Structures are given as structure tokens and as C-alpha cells.
Amino acid sequence: MNDKLSISQAIKAEALRLGFYVCGITSAHPVGKRESGMLRQWLDKEYHAGLKYMEGHIEKRCDPCLLVEDAKSIICVALNYYPAKKLSKDQLQFAYYAYGKDYHEVMKCKLKSLYDYINNELLPINGRVFCDTAPVLERYWAQQAGLGWIGKHTQLIIPEAGSYFFLGELVVDAELTYDTPVVARCGSCTQCLNACPAQALRDPYVLDCNRCLSYLTIENKGEINAERRKALGNRIYGCDECQKACPWNRFAQPCDNPELQPSEEFMDMRPEDWKNLSVEEYQKLFKGSAVKRAKYDGLIRNIKAVDNK
Ligand code: SF4
Ligand code: SF4
């Protein structure tokens, strides 16, 4: 196989076979002035809160050609994580993406398989695999590659499928056939901004991490102040309210990936169980899970904050 179109089609077919919901391809180029300007403004306003790593590697973040030598193409994929079973309203809440195994591991394994398939079956390539692990503007590239558009809540929305997706990329040195960027379809809707319990969406497309419950319960290393505690409700790890409010998520279909399914122990946890959670139980419950990011002390801080509104 040696023509760009056939190779690109074969890559997409393999991506779907591996379980990705969609795959698209765009050329590797520096991001537009608008995107780099928005990123710099966001950093200047310190809306990244304690995410200090966001301040570094701005040039690389704005130009994937600085991440991979002779980069020509970005292959973007999305993996559905919308859960089939959900915690009930009287249980303490976790963001849907955290129900199953750590997505970094699941995504990396599938991306590596896709990379090896291209290299072994289609054409020799050099490149790198990314999934929320390097300075890459993932949602921007997904939009460029025709997967969907960035909604006012700052998540990628896939038409007729919603926003409960993990994103990943292969940046490679081969020229391929490119997809058309998707035009934003939020229109005059503001349901995500209205639904945010913490007013963290300062403006359409502008997230203030200092207020966002997802940041405060996962990445934040400090205490959660009284004002933010009020907004927490019964969420102890992450928040999905802006996504739940989005009308495009009425199209979300439950994922069937066994690695992303929650354990029975997790689904059975009652508020009293969380309050009495020991380190050993935490280790067992979240072995191989992204929840480890908040560490035991972080999760206990959140449980106490919910209890102490
Ligand atoms: S994740 Fe929650 S707190 Fe953060 S912007 Fe969305 S609704 Fe607001
Ligand atoms: S809720 Fe409305 S404005 Fe927000 S992302 Fe969805 S469609 Fe866009």
C-alpha cells in the first residue's frame, strides 16, 4: 500500500478495530495566532491555578513540530468512557471518567498498537504517542482532524456522540490525507455555563481552574475553602455538571470496554463507607485507577469537605 489516501483509510479502520470511536488526521503545523493568544491570556490571568506545568513549554504546546522531528501529520483518536452503570444520587459522586481503570494506561496501550500497526503493516514511521502526557493542545488537534468541536465548556464535542471521550494522538513524520476541521455548533446555547455550580466558566471557552471543582478535588494540593465547599455538593472526585447539561450528550452511548467498567465494590460504596475509608481499602479500591492522582489524603480531604459544608 503506497498511496496516502489508502494508508489513511487503513489507519482509521485499524483505529476503529482497536475500539476507538473515531479517528481523524490533520497536518502538523503551528497552532493559529488565535489559539496561542487565548492560551497566553489564560495563563496571564492565572486561570491555570496550581497547574504550573502549563507555564512551561509554551512553544512546544503551540507547535507539535517541536515535539517530533520532521513531524508531518497528527492522527487523533477518541475513546468513549460514558458509563453504562452510574452511581446513584444518594452516593458520593465521582466524575464518569474515573469509574474504570486509569485512562492513560488504556489509551497508551491502544495508541501503541495503532503505531505498531502503521509501522509494521503500512509504512515505516517515526513519531510519538500522546495522551494527556505532554504539552499538546489535544482538543484543538481533534477539532482540526475533524473529530468534533471545542464546546463552550472547553471539552471536545463529537457530533451525535457527545463529550465523554478520552483523546489521544500520534504525531508522525509521514504525510497522509487530511480531514476537514469541524465548525463549532454550540450556537447561542449557554447551558453548560448556567449549570456550573462553581461559576468556573468565566466566559464561553474560558475555564477558571481556581473555581473548577474538577481541579479543586483532583489536582489541587491545598485545602478547599468554605465558599468552594458549598459548591461541591456530594462530589468527591471531579465534576461532570457542565457536560451533563450539554444537549449533545443526549447522544452519549454506554461504553463496552471492560477496562473502563467500575468494580462492584466501587459501585456499592455508601457515604459511611467513604467516611471510614482506610489506606488499605483505598489501595485496593483504586488499584490501577486514575483516582490515585488525588492520593489517599486528597480523597479524604474531599470527603471531609463534602461533610463539612
Ligand atoms: S467541571 Fe464542574 S466546576 Fe468545572 S467547569 Fe464543569 S461544571 Fe464547572
Ligand atoms: S452546553 Fe451548549 S454551549 Fe455548552 S458546550 Fe454544550 S452545546 Fe455548547
Side-chain angles (χ1 to χ4, degrees):
M1 195 179 291
N2 53 14
D3 70 287
K4 285 192 291 188
L5 181 60
S6 306
I7 291 170
S8 304
Q9 285 170 339
I11 292 171
K12 290 178 187 176
E14 178 65 4
L16 300 196
R17 196 194 67 76
L18 287 166
F20 293 116
Y21 175 79
V22 64
C23 172
I25 308 175
T26 184
S27 65
H29 54 261
V31 305
K33 277 196 179 139
R34 182 174 171 270
E35 283 70 30
S36 59
M38 278 174 74
L39 174 63
R40 284 173 207 279
Q41 241 181 32
W42 185 74
L43 290 167
D44 286 347
K45 290 188 171 164
E46 304 203 350
Y47 285 165
H48 58 306
L51 301 175
K52 294 294 169 204
Y53 63 84
M54 290 297 297
E55 295 167 14
H57 305 296
I58 304 269
E59 285 73 25
K60 284 186 187 163
R61 213 174 279 283
C62 293
D63 185 358
C65 303
L66 300 176
L67 289 167
V68 171
E69 200 183 333
D70 210 18
K72 298 274 190 324
S73 304
I74 307 183
I75 302 162
C76 297
V77 291
L79 183 71
N80 182 13
Y81 66 80
Y82 185 62
K85 284 183 283 181
K86 302 189 189 82
L87 293 165
S88 63
K89 288 201 170 110
D90 59 349
Q91 289 177 287
L92 299 186
Q93 299 295 306
F94 283 70
Y96 293 156
Y97 85 85
Y99 277 25
K101 199 177 160 189
D102 188 343
Y103 66 96
H104 295 98
E105 300 307 318
V106 180
M107 287 292 286
K108 246 192 285 171
C109 182
K110 287 184 186 293
L111 285 163
K112 179 81 177 38
S113 298
L114 185 58
Y115 184 93
D116 289 346
Y117 167 78
I118 300 169
N119 215 10
N120 297 332
E121 308 288 334
L122 301 178
L123 80 167
I125 49 166
N126 277 312
R128 283 176 68 187
V129 161
F130 299 102
C131 169
D132 197 16
T133 44
V136 176
L137 293 179
E138 300 199 295
R139 297 163 203 171
Y140 171 81
W141 294 114
Q143 180 160 17
Q144 294 296 305
L147 266 56
W149 74 94
I150 301 171
K152 291 180 190 174
H153 54 17
T154 74
Q155 305 290 327
L156 188 87
I157 301 175
I158 300 180
E160 278 74 56
S163 62
Y164 298 115
F165 288 89
F166 299 126
L167 302 179
E169 307 77 34
L170 303 182
V171 180
V172 300
D173 64 354
E175 276 190 25
L176 298 165
T177 301
Y178 302 128
D179 292 286
T180 309
V182 173
V183 175
R185 288 159 69 180
C186 282
S188 58
C189 175
T190 54
Q191 292 195 43
C192 51
L193 285 93
N194 304 341
C196 175
Q199 292 79 48
L201 293 163
R202 295 272 191 159
D203 282 304
Y205 315 104
V206 182
L207 174 70
D208 183 352
C209 291
N210 298 288
R211 295 179 173 188
C212 177
L213 303 177
S214 204
Y215 168 80
L216 288 171
T217 55
I218 301 172
E219 305 287 346
N220 162 42
K221 301 287 176 259
E223 285 307 307
I224 301 174
N225 70 31
E227 192 188 339
R228 304 281 166 247
R229 282 205 297 271
K230 274 192 215 145
L232 266 184
N234 62 352
R235 302 172 198 89
I236 57 169
Y237 191 90
C239 169
D240 284 323
E241 293 313 310
C242 48
Q243 297 196 82
K244 284 180 187 166
C246 179
W248 290 95
N249 274 330
R250 70 186 183 278
F251 295 113
Q253 293 295 322
C255 82
D256 54 8
N257 185 330
E259 293 176 298
L260 299 177
Q261 305 304 321
S263 68
E264 275 182 32
E265 292 81 1
F266 173 79
M267 295 305 282
D268 287 344
M269 289 290 281
R270 309 303 308 170
E272 316 78 71
D273 303 325
W274 288 117
K275 281 177 209 162
N276 298 318
L277 186 74
S278 68
V279 181
E280 293 72 29
E281 286 166 329
Y282 166 85
Q283 299 283 7
K284 192 160 164 257
L285 208 50
F286 296 117
K287 188 166 183 276
S289 152
V291 175
K292 286 272 184 69
R293 192 157 182 92
K295 305 222 165 45
Y296 174 73
D297 290 346
L299 192 63
I300 295 296
R301 173 204 59 194
N302 300 344
I303 294 165
K304 285 187 178 156
V306 159
D307 214 25
N308 184 23
K309 292 196 289 289

